[in-house]
């Protein structure tokens, strides 16, 4: 079977101004990727996310979610404003666009990860 030629646009990720580099710097953290996976099924409260992502501390969870909200990947919704406050997080439409690229990485890891 012959190979199909695919034209890829290869950005200059070595340049600090490259948007691809900037995206990789934001996404290439262990916790962000794991939280995206954890949020794919739908909205979740912080305690649920801590249970789903073993090893993440409360401080790291809070900092990571805050950054993801700032980047427009996650929405924070206040369910109960009075103390103790109850909030939940869910992927935004922008955050959901990462599902397919992350699925491709999982497929690659399944096929080649043990090499």
């Amino acid at each position: 079977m012959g190979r199909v030629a695919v034209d890829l646009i290869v950005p200059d990720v070595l340049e600090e101004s490259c948007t691809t580099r900037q995206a990789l710097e934001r996404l290439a953290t262990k916790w962000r990727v794991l939280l995206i996976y954890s949020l794919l099924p739908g909205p979740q409260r912080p305690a649920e996310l801590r249970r789903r992502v073993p090893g993440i501390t409360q401080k790291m969870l809070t900092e990571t979610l805050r950054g993801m909200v700032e980047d427009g990947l996650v929405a924070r919704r206040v369910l109960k404003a009075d103390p103790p406050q109850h909030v939940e997080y869910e992927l935004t439409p922008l955050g959901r666009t990462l599902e397919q690229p992350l699925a491709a990485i999982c497929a690659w890891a399944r096929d080649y990860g043990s090499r």
Side-chain angles (χ1 to χ4, degrees):
M1 182 194 253
R3 293 185 128 215
V4 175
V6 177
D7 291 330
L8 293 177
I9 298 170
V10 181
D12 190 356
V13 295
L14 300 178
E15 293 292 326
E16 288 183 1
S17 62
C18 176
T19 56
T20 301
R21 176 180 173 157
Q22 293 167 3
L24 288 171
E25 287 173 350
R26 285 192 170 136
L27 295 172
T29 68
K30 172 172 81 170
W31 300 122
R32 278 191 176 213
V33 171
L34 295 176
L35 287 170
I36 289 167
Y37 272 111
S38 296
L39 289 166
L40 283 172
Q44 296 189 45
R45 297 196 38 208
E48 295 168 34
L49 291 169
R50 284 228 26 226
R51 281 192 291 277
R52 294 196 68 186
V53 183
I56 193 167
T57 64
Q58 183 63 47
K59 180 181 181 221
M60 186 55 63
L61 176 66
T62 301
E63 287 176 10
T64 305
L65 287 169
R66 197 171 286 150
M68 293 172 76
V69 168
E70 289 172 12
D71 289 341
L73 300 173
V74 170
R76 178 181 186 268
R77 183 174 21 186
V78 177
L79 302 174
K80 179 181 166 231
D82 299 327
Q85 191 178 57
H86 293 246
V87 298
E88 71 178 11
Y89 294 88
E90 85 178 296
L91 292 175
T92 62
L94 177 62
R96 288 214 163 271
T97 66
L98 295 167
E99 184 173 2
Q100 290 303 317
L102 292 176
I105 291 170
C106 286
W108 180 89
R110 181 190 63 235
D111 294 344
Y112 304 105
S114 63
R115 293 183 185 181

